[in-house]
Amino acid sequence: MDNRIITFTSMTNAMRARDLLRKHRFSARLVRTPARLRKGSCGYSLIIGGNPDRAASLLRERKIPFGGVFADDGA
């Protein structure tokens, strides 16, 4: 399955999301948001492996705010 990038505006939310997703057996690695996905400021992202719809659903259930889910094209 292809990797996805989930963007966040704070490191705290990205870390909370990483821990939650790992608990649910996703691979999740914290990185700086790629420049092409930044919206005017620095940010943090997770590169995840697994079902992106399920990951987004888990984040919404736990009320962890995120910017979006994008394909990781390696750029």
Side-chain angles (χ1 to χ4, degrees), residues 7-11 31-35 37-45:
T7 60
F8 299 86
T9 57
S10 80
M11 179 179 274
V31 297
R32 293 300 298 253
T33 299
L37 298 177
R38 285 187 210 143
K39 302 221 172 164
S41 66
C42 296
Y44 296 89
S45 296

Side-chain angles (χ1 to χ4, degrees), residues 16-44:
R16 287 177 55 216
R18 178 197 60 198
D19 295 345
L20 173 68
L21 294 175
R22 284 182 175 171
K23 190 179 197 181
H24 287 270
R25 300 186 162 238
F26 284 83
S27 64
R29 183 169 50 102
L30 184 67
V31 297
R32 293 300 298 253
T33 299
R36 66 184 172 82
L37 298 177
R38 285 187 210 143
K39 302 221 172 164
S41 66
C42 296
Y44 296 89

Side-chain angles (χ1 to χ4, degrees), residues 46-57:
L46 293 178
I47 297 176
I48 66 159
N51 183 321
D53 294 329
R54 177 68 181 135
S57 178

Side-chain angles (χ1 to χ4, degrees), residues 51-72:
N51 183 321
D53 294 329
R54 177 68 181 135
S57 178
L58 284 168
L59 297 177
R60 285 187 200 99
E61 286 172 18
R62 295 293 174 94
K63 299 184 179 1
I64 299 174
F66 64 97
V69 180
F70 304 91
D72 178 13

